[in-house]
Amino acid sequence: MGDLLSKPGDRRARLRALLDSGEPLLAPGAYDALSARLVEQAGFGAVYMTGFGSTAGLLGRPDVGLLGGAEMAAHAARLADAVDLPLIADADTGYGNPVNVIRTVRDYERAGVAALHMEDQVMPKRCGHMSGKQVVPAGEMAAKIRAAVDARSDPDLLIIARTDAAAVDGLDAAVDRAKRFADAGADLLFVEAPTSEAHIEQVASALQGHKLVFNWAEGGRTPPLSLERLAELGFALVLFPIGTLLAATAAMGEFLRVLRADGTPAAMLDRLGGVDPFAELVGLGEIRELEERYRDQGTA
C-alpha cells in the first residue's frame, strides 16, 4: 500500500544511482499493477510501463495511439502505487505540442514515475517495431524536450528522448536527432529499432558519452543481443517491454483451451497455485498489517 512505500523522490534518486553504476539496468515491462508487482517480486531494480502492453491490457487493441495522456498518466499512477521500484513510463509523443508536453510531464510526475520517454513520431503514433511510422521535424521534437525539462519540478525526474527516425530517414539521421535532443536537455537517449548488430554498434559509438537506452523488444525488429554485449557497448538501461504480456497471454490461452476442452480446469489446478498463495502475492499480508495497526483499541 502507498504508505508502506518509499516516496517518489527517493525512487527517482535511486534510479539515477542505478543508471550511474556502470552496469546495464534491466527494466522488464509491466502492463498493469499486478505485472508490476511480479517484476518487483522477481528482484529487478526498476519496472517499465509499456505503452504497447498498456494499450493491449486496457483496450485490447494494438499500440497505434489510441490511449490519451490522461489515461496513461492515471495508469502510471496505479503502477507506481503498487510497487516500491522506480517506474519508467512510456509517454508516447507527449500528447501534443510543447504546451501539451508541460501538462504531460507534470501529470506523470504527480503520478510518481521516476522517468518517462517521449518519441518524435507524428500522432497518431505506432509501436516502434511496426511499419508505417512518420516523424515530426527534429526542431519540433527538440522544443518538446526543452519543455519537458523545464516542466519537471523534481530535477531527479529523468527525461528520455526517443527517436523513431531510423526506420524513416535512416540511422545517421536518427543519431543526429538523438544528439540534438541531448543538447535540448534529455537525460537519456533512445534510438528505436536498429535492425542489425552493426547498427546497434554504430549507435553506441556515435553517442558515446551519453546514457543510452536499448529496447530488447521481444520478437521485434532489433536483434537480441546478450547482456554482456550490451554492457560492452555501454548501454545504461535495457527495456524488456512485452515479455510479461506475451507470457501472460500464452498462459491464459492455454488455460482457456483446457477449460473449453474438458469443461473444468481440473487438469491445470496444480499449476495455478490457488486463492491463498495469490492473495499473499498481491499483498494480503500488507493489508493485515494495516488492519492491525489501525485496530480499534477500545475506550479507556
Side-chain angles (χ1 to χ4, degrees), residues 175 179 199-209 212 233 235:
V175 167
K179 291 177 180 177
H199 284 175
I200 298 167
E201 292 170 353
Q202 181 180 339
V203 168
S205 175
L207 298 176
Q208 189 174 9
L212 303 180
L233 292 171
F235 284 92

Side-chain angles (χ1 to χ4, degrees), residues 30-37 47 49-50 53-54 57-58 75 78-79 82:
Y31 56 92
D32 61 7
L34 173 59
S35 52
R37 287 184 67 92
V47 60
M49 187 186 87
T50 155
S54 297
L58 291 173
H75 196 49
R78 287 188 287 270
L79 271 65

Side-chain angles (χ1 to χ4, degrees), residues 124-216:
K125 54 74 55 90
R126 291 179 177 269
C127 165
H129 291 257
M130 290 180 179
S131 60
K133 296 182 292 183
Q134 299 179 57
V135 293
V136 300
E140 180 179 330
M141 182 62 179
K144 291 163 73 169
I145 296 297
R146 291 198 304 273
V149 171
D150 290 345
R152 60 187 175 189
S153 60
D154 184 348
D156 278 334
L157 174 67
L158 294 172
I159 305 299
I160 303 170
R162 170 178 140 180
T163 176
D164 287 69
V168 180
D169 298 321
L171 195 64
D172 289 340
V175 167
D176 288 343
R177 281 177 173 245
K179 291 177 180 177
R180 188 163 179 177
F181 302 159
D183 291 341
D187 298 292
L188 287 91
L189 304 178
F190 179 175
V191 176
E192 176 65 305
T195 55
S196 70
E197 184 167 353
H199 284 175
I200 298 167
E201 292 170 353
Q202 181 180 339
V203 168
S205 175
L207 298 176
Q208 189 174 9
H210 298 284
K211 285 189 170 62
L212 303 180
V213 178
F214 183 84
N215 193 14
W216 211 106

Side-chain angles (χ1 to χ4, degrees), residues 36 212 220 237 299:
L212 303 180
L237 174 62
T299 58

